[in-house]
């Protein structure tokens, strides 16, 4: 028996007026998903507890059976785990974004933040800037005093780790939510450690602003990556072993560090697929092949995560969201189920959205999402398509962490 999980990130939604009152899942052509739903079970499940932020971090923890109410400490430790960073007790990790502040002759606090990604800085440029910053004697001394070290990444998303860090009551805002705003009221606040982080950010700006790479970027008409921004704080997270809990081995196939980190923490392997981008142009076929290869080679379980529906919704790109859902159907579900049938593998399949991402707000929503459970040995003759409305007619689960994996693996819910 083989077990497959498919997550269409943020594909669930509310009815959209311009789609004639249908949701994107209802409007998009998804014949394969609908045929599976018709023979399987459709219900609704809540993956984001109300007391925590609705997002892929809390929702995907739930899907893999880790209750965020017991284990969630923040987003960055999950991402840190993707690169093998282990936090010691008392240590806190932060996302350390490269950002762009406006070029203006003003005090630091009066400047506006123009980009949460340092003008989409990538690769060597980003690695050089962050390494040079932490090698600068003045900054190095301040970072040392703050107990701060950095793990450079070849993108705008570095990870910083601070020893003996106090994050009680601290307020660190996501930079992408405040583009174009003056930073004075956005800078770290809430406790003494916030002042330390704010001073590091101010010092980083004074050093990075004149860096030759940023001078070149300005000449090339690009935004300078002239600052760093600490946010997404969290302490070490320990998750139960997936293998010990469910007695299944498996792999996770995704483009995003968050999923790789959760996989590492629960002890599942990660399969990297070339061309898996986390965007609409991702390598759908490559992900299917990777899942099939894992199952053929003796693994029990494969998870395919597709980020594109979520990204398109955040970008306000409704046609893109519809296309992402249709490609999930025609380029993931179709080849996957055809290959399994051809090779005579019995399987159980769970398909769901982690959380809703709303076309109306371009943001996340933690309300229940529809799940589809299919068993190749059975026909429920239910006859419903895969949609939010079908989900509402089926079983309702208030806590995905407790039920989803047992449901997939035909195990008793603890
Ligand atoms: Zn999202």
């Amino acid at each position: 028996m083989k077990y497959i999980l498919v997550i269409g990130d943020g594909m669930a939604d509310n009815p959209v007026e311009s789609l004639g009152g249908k949701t994107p899942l209802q409007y998009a052509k998804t014949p394969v998903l609908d045929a599976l739903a018709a023979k399987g079970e459709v219900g609704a499940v809540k993956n984001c507890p109300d007391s925590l932020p609705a997002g892929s971090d809390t929702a995907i923890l739930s899907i893999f059976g880790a209750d965020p109410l017991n284990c969630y400490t923040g987003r960055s430790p999950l991402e840190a785990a993707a690169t093998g960073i282990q936090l010691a007790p008392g240590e806190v990790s932060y996302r350390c974004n490269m950002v762009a502040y406006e070029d203006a002759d003003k005090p630091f606090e009066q400047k506006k933040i123009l980009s949460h990604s340092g003008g989409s800085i990538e690769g060597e440029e980003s690695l050089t800037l962050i390494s040079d910053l932490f090698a600068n004697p003045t900054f190095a001394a301040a970072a040392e005093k703050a107990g701060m070290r950095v793990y450079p990444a070849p993108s705008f998303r570095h990870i910083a780790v601070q020893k003996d860090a106090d994050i009680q009551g601290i307020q660190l805002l996501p930079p992408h939510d405040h583009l174009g705003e003056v930073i004075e009221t956005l800078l770290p606040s809430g406790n003494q450690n916030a002042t330390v982080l704010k001073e590091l950010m101010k010092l980083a700006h004074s050093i990075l602003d004149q860096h030759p790479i940023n001078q070149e970027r300005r000449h090339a008409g690009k935004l300078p990556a002239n600052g760093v921004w600490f946010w997404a704080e969290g302490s070490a997270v320990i998750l139960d072993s997936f293998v010990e809990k469910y007695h299944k081995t498996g792999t996770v196939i995704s483009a995003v560090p968050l999923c790789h980190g959760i996989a590492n923490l629960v002890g599942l392997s990660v399969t990297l697929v070339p061309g898996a981008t986390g965007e609409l142009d991702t390598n759908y076929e490559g992900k299917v092949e990777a899942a099939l290869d894992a199952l053929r080679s003796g693994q029990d379980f494969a998870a395919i995560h597709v980020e594109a529906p979520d990204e398109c919704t955040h970008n306000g790109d409704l046609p893109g969201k519809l296309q992402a859902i249709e490609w999930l159907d025609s380029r993931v579900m179709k080849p996957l189920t055809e290959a399994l049938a051809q090779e005579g593998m019995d399987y159980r399949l769970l398909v769901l959205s982690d959380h809703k991402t709303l076309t109306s707000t371009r943001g996340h929503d933690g309300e229940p999402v529809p799940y589809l459970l299919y068993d190749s040995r059975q026909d429920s003759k239910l006859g419903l398509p895969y949609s939010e409305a079908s989900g509402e007619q089926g079983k309702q689960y208030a806590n995905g962490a407790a039920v989803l994996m047992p449901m997939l693996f035909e195990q008793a819910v603890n």
Side-chain angles (χ1 to χ4, degrees):
M1 196 65 185
K2 300 296 181 185
Y3 303 90
I4 302 141
L5 167 69
V6 177
I7 303 171
D9 203 297
M11 67 180 170
D13 204 330
N14 289 339
V16 177
E17 214 180 280
S18 68
L19 302 180
K22 291 183 173 178
T23 66
L25 267 180
Q26 287 175 316
Y27 189 88
K29 291 187 183 58
T30 54
V32 182
L33 281 168
D34 291 341
L36 292 164
K39 292 182 179 179
E41 170 188 326
V42 186
V45 62
K46 187 163 167 59
N47 296 320
C48 302
D50 286 332
S51 57
L52 292 173
S56 289
D57 42 8
T58 51
I60 294 179
L61 280 171
S62 283
I63 294 174
F64 282 95
D67 191 336
L69 289 176
N70 300 331
C71 67
Y72 181 77
T73 71
R75 183 181 183 114
S76 77
L78 299 170
E79 294 185 332
T83 47
I85 300 168
Q86 292 197 343
L87 299 177
E91 289 187 339
V92 164
S93 71
Y94 305 90
R95 177 72 87 65
C96 174
N97 279 45
M98 300 299 309
V99 296
Y101 300 116
E102 65 176 324
D103 286 324
D105 191 15
K106 294 175 183 169
F108 175 63
E109 293 81 359
Q110 297 306 317
K111 293 192 178 184
K112 290 178 183 161
I113 178 168
L114 301 183
S115 166
H116 67 291
S117 60
S120 299
I121 193 158
E122 281 186 14
E124 282 303 319
E125 281 199 336
S126 189
L127 290 168
T128 304
L129 281 175
I130 196 75
S131 303
D132 287 359
L133 175 65
F134 275 77
N136 174 288
T138 312
F139 193 84
E144 163 99 48
K145 200 169 162 222
M148 183 77 87
R149 63 185 188 274
V150 74
Y151 294 86
S155 74
F156 67 87
R157 305 179 180 93
H158 310 298
I159 299 277
V161 174
Q162 187 183 21
K163 274 189 259 179
D164 302 320
D166 179 12
I167 51 171
Q168 195 73 37
I170 204 164
Q171 199 181 8
L172 306 177
L173 299 176
H176 52 262
D177 286 346
H178 299 280
L179 302 181
E181 297 178 25
V182 174
I183 60 174
E184 185 161 30
T185 59
L186 310 174
L187 290 166
S189 64
N191 71 11
Q192 184 52 41
N193 190 34
T195 313
V196 173
L197 298 181
K198 189 159 83 174
E199 287 307 313
L200 282 175
M201 285 164 65
K202 187 172 178 175
L203 186 57
H205 175 55
S206 71
I207 293 164
L208 290 172
D209 206 34
Q210 300 311 319
H211 195 285
I213 285 181
N214 281 328
Q215 303 292 28
E216 282 169 32
R217 288 178 66 84
R218 289 185 182 100
H219 284 303
K222 296 178 186 168
L223 285 172
N226 58 356
V228 296
W229 192 279
F230 300 112
W231 65 287
E233 71 282 6
S235 54
V237 47
I238 296 166
L239 302 182
D240 292 340
S241 156
F242 194 90
V243 180
E244 281 174 26
K245 204 150 123 193
Y246 303 116
H247 310 286
K248 303 288 182 239
T249 59
T251 195
V252 175
I253 299 152
S254 169
V256 304
L258 174 70
C259 291
H260 302 159
I262 292 174
N264 283 347
L265 288 165
V266 300
L268 290 167
S269 69
V270 170
T271 306
L272 296 176
V273 173
T277 56
E279 310 275 344
L280 190 55
D281 65 357
T282 196
N283 182 358
Y284 299 89
E285 291 78 11
K287 288 188 176 186
V288 171
E289 264 319 299
L292 289 167
D293 282 347
L295 299 175
R296 287 177 191 131
S297 69
Q299 306 246 36
D300 305 308
F301 167 74
I304 299 176
H305 170 262
V306 176
E307 174 76 358
D310 183 65
E311 276 303 311
C312 290
T313 322
H314 288 311
N315 295 336
D317 177 8
L318 181 56
K321 179 168 195 174
L322 295 169
Q323 182 68 80
I325 293 170
E326 293 188 351
W327 278 344
L328 182 78
D329 192 78
S330 63
R331 298 173 64 185
V332 175
M333 302 314 302
K334 186 166 188 276
L336 178 69
T337 51
E338 282 178 358
L340 290 163
Q342 230 167 49
E343 295 175 34
M345 282 194 242
D346 279 334
Y347 63 95
R348 283 171 71 81
L349 169 72
L350 176 66
V351 184
L352 78 171
S353 187
D354 49 349
H355 51 68
K356 287 185 177 181
T357 308
L358 302 183
T359 296
S360 58
T361 63
R362 294 168 60 171
H364 297 159
D365 180 275
E367 290 308 299
V369 291
Y371 71 82
L372 151 58
L373 182 68
Y374 172 80
D375 186 318
S376 65
R377 304 162 298 181
Q378 293 164 13
D379 182 355
S380 69
K381 300 209 165 37
L382 184 76
L384 288 174
Y386 177 61
S387 68
E388 295 82 354
S390 300
E392 285 162 18
Q393 294 177 44
K395 290 181 188 159
Q396 310 292 306
Y397 293 109
N399 180 4
V403 296
L404 288 171
M405 286 303 110
M407 190 193 278
L408 178 62
F409 296 135
E410 294 185 279
Q411 294 174 356
V413 174
N414 295 313

